[in-house]
Amino acid sequence: MTTESPSQANGATGRRRELLAIAAELFADKGFKNTTVRDIADAAGILSGSLYHHFDSKESMVDEILSSFQAELFAAYDEVLRSDDDARTKIERAVRLSFEAIDRHRHEVAIFQNEADFLGQQERFAYLAERNAQSRDVWITLLEDGLRSGALRADLDVELTYRFIRDTVWVAVRWYRPGGKLTHTDVADQYLTILLDGIAHA
Amino acid sequence: MTTESPSQANGATGRRRELLAIAAELFADKGFKNTTVRDIADAAGILSGSLYHHFDSKESMVDEILSSFQAELFAAYDEVLRSDDDARTKIERAVRLSFEAIDRHRHEVAIFQNEADFLGQQERFAYLAERNAQSRDVWITLLEDGLRSGALRADLDVELTYRFIRDTVWVAVRWYRPGGKLTHTDVADQYLTILLDGIAHA
DNA sequence: TGCCCAACCAAGCAATTGCTTGGTACTGTA
DNA sequence: TACAGTACCAAGCAATTGCTTGGTTGGGCA
């Protein structure tokens, strides 16, 4: 069915990685559906048909991009969850970790942000919805721990707070640029200041 | 050029409004590029070619949807700016006004959120970038007034604070559902609490 | 009764889309 | 030197796309 040899079916080839990186940038900039296989091939300096030597389909490209990124991201979340830091520190770490992910994998984050809803309708991408639920579990756990320990104010709506944090953190991928004036740490510092203590004068 | 009679060229026809509402829902759900004229026509119960009796092109549909919404939204911003409320009240009003816009025009907001970057590249949609700059001006003004008056803490990065607020408010369109358990006022209340005073226990 | 006109249909065209097929150039290995 | 395997090209197909064209329907008005 596939033209890959067994030894390379895991995508370890250098050329595969290159092509996936090129595709990821285009998917992030123009959207998955709005990026053609000819766009990708042009950017790679080959003909569109040649892409099918490396990949089964355009879908399998975005699949590989998203699933490998998600695996890495959730490994990081798990480490925070399992640490013995106090509740507030865990929340801080989870926020910093997310901005760092934007810094290191902006294309992947952007694709997930823009295409998850649409792709998630297909069975092949059902794991996207699962990962979303998993992410929610992480945050709800962290926030409820914060409430219990007294680190967070008691009148918070945990579900809404989770949504606000998630939205603000991940949508930053739209404007954050690695190598720009602000580092991901700068952004995380400022956001944590506002999130924890508010913008109003004390 | 167009098949419209002079008396209906402004889009006041009932049928035009219906078709635009149908198109707006589809554009919001599936994306502009990913919605075909046949999708729109099917949802309206007509054939795709019949759409061109009402509109010049698919682009002119999304143009009409976005430009009329933007006009309404910025009229509301202007009213807040020109009021003689204090800085903190103005910020609160601007936030509430935005959640209310999501409640009343979710399709339009969603389209603007998802397609502005892509559409804005075309000259026809240059006004989207202008509106964006205009919105930034409004918020930067409000925040700087807040700093000057002492309502806001002095160590804020105004530009970053603006981005956090803008992102959190508008991305709520992804999960807020009119008629659901939470009203737009509930959401605004909770967000303003967090934004102004933070989530940490005092 | 005759006419107008908004609203729509039926059919199809040209461009673009994802993908397929059969073949070629080059490289490393036995 | 023969062979295997990677990476690619050249050409094109079937489906889908936005949009066009010429014609039909039915209600309102003089």
Side-chain angles (χ1 to χ4, degrees):
Chain A
M1 236 0 99
T2 171
T3 52
E4 291 158 22
S5 77
S7 70
Q8 318 239 342
N10 55 4
T13 327
R15 190 52 171 157
R16 264 182 87 93
R17 280 191 195 285
E18 279 177 32
L19 294 172
L20 281 179
I22 289 168
E25 179 165 4
L26 289 167
F27 290 157
D29 285 350
K30 321 191 350 171
F32 173 70
K33 182 87 184 200
N34 198 27
T35 300
T36 70
V37 293
R38 284 172 180 80
D39 289 336
I40 302 170
D42 284 353
I46 59 178
L47 291 186
S48 66
S50 305
L51 285 174
Y52 291 83
H53 169 71
H54 301 275
F55 306 99
D56 285 345
S57 65
K58 186 180 150 186
E59 265 184 12
S60 75
M61 294 188 214
V62 78
D63 193 346
E64 198 164 325
I65 290 166
L66 286 177
S67 59
S68 64
F69 163 66
Q70 297 267 39
E72 183 180 332
L73 178 65
F74 280 87
Y77 276 138
D78 279 351
E79 200 188 314
V80 172
L81 261 190
R82 282 198 306 266
S83 77
D84 53 1
D85 293 321
D86 61 29
R88 175 165 169 148
T89 303
K90 281 185 182 174
I91 290 173
E92 289 188 22
R93 284 186 62 187
V95 166
R96 293 185 186 282
L97 175 165
S98 306
F99 282 115
E100 197 183 338
I102 291 176
D103 182 75
R104 297 222 289 238
H105 302 289
R106 37 188 287 252
H107 299 322
E108 290 83 346
V109 172
I111 296 169
F112 181 67
Q113 287 297 297
N114 296 329
E115 319 288 345
D117 281 356
F118 173 65
L119 291 176
Q121 292 168 4
Q122 302 170 246
E123 195 172 355
R124 169 172 203 167
F125 294 98
Y127 68 89
L128 291 177
E130 289 169 31
R131 289 295 198 182
N132 239 328
Q134 193 180 344
S135 160
R136 180 180 173 281
D137 288 345
V138 170
W139 277 106
I140 298 289
T141 300
L142 294 182
L143 291 171
E144 284 178 347
D145 285 356
L147 282 180
R148 252 192 305 275
S149 71
L152 303 185
R153 41 195 292 181
D155 63 338
L156 285 183
D157 180 319
V158 173
E159 179 70 30
L160 270 184
T161 305
Y162 150 65
R163 290 180 188 174
F164 289 141
I165 296 176
R166 175 201 59 187
D167 288 351
T168 314
V169 165
W170 291 120
V171 178
V173 75
R174 291 193 182 175
W175 51 264
Y176 175 79
R177 288 294 169 267
K181 210 169 70 180
L182 295 166
T183 67
H184 65 90
T185 310
D186 293 334
V187 177
D189 285 344
Q190 183 74 198
Y191 179 61
L192 282 169
T193 300
I194 295 175
L195 174 66
L196 290 165
D197 296 325
I199 67 172
H201 190 85
Chain B
M1 231 7 94
T2 171
T3 52
E4 292 159 20
S5 79
S7 69
Q8 317 238 342
N10 55 3
T13 327
R15 190 52 171 155
R16 263 183 87 93
R17 281 192 193 285
E18 280 177 32
L19 293 174
L20 282 179
I22 290 168
E25 179 166 3
L26 289 168
F27 290 156
D29 286 350
K30 321 191 348 170
F32 173 71
K33 182 85 184 201
N34 198 28
T35 300
T36 71
V37 292
R38 284 171 180 81
D39 289 336
I40 302 170
D42 283 352
I46 60 178
L47 290 185
S48 66
S50 304
L51 285 174
Y52 292 83
H53 170 71
H54 302 276
F55 306 98
D56 285 345
S57 64
K58 185 180 151 188
E59 266 184 11
S60 76
M61 294 189 214
V62 77
D63 192 347
E64 198 165 327
I65 290 167
L66 286 177
S67 59
S68 65
F69 163 66
Q70 298 268 39
E72 184 181 332
L73 177 66
F74 281 87
Y77 276 138
D78 279 350
E79 200 188 314
V80 171
L81 261 190
R82 282 198 306 265
S83 77
D84 52 1
D85 294 321
D86 60 30
R88 175 165 169 148
T89 304
K90 282 185 181 174
I91 290 174
E92 288 187 24
R93 285 186 61 188
V95 166
R96 293 184 186 284
L97 176 165
S98 306
F99 282 115
E100 197 182 338
I102 292 176
D103 183 76
R104 298 222 289 238
H105 303 288
R106 36 188 286 253
H107 299 322
E108 290 82 347
V109 172
I111 295 168
F112 181 66
Q113 287 295 298
N114 296 329
E115 320 288 344
D117 282 354
F118 173 65
L119 291 175
Q121 293 167 4
Q122 302 170 246
E123 195 173 355
R124 169 171 203 168
F125 294 97
Y127 68 90
L128 292 177
E130 288 169 31
R131 289 296 197 182
N132 240 327
Q134 194 180 344
S135 161
R136 180 181 173 281
D137 288 345
V138 170
W139 277 106
I140 298 289
T141 301
L142 294 182
L143 291 172
E144 285 179 346
D145 284 356
L147 283 180
R148 251 191 306 275
S149 72
L152 302 185
R153 41 196 291 182
D155 63 338
L156 286 183
D157 180 320
V158 173
E159 178 70 29
L160 269 183
T161 305
Y162 150 67
R163 291 181 189 174
F164 289 142
I165 295 175
R166 174 200 60 187
D167 288 351
T168 314
V169 164
W170 291 119
V171 179
V173 75
R174 292 193 182 175
W175 50 263
Y176 176 79
R177 288 295 168 266
K181 212 170 68 180
L182 295 166
T183 68
H184 65 91
T185 310
D186 294 333
V187 177
D189 285 344
Q190 181 74 199
Y191 179 60
L192 282 170
T193 299
I194 295 175
L195 174 66
L196 289 166
D197 296 325
I199 67 173
H201 191 82

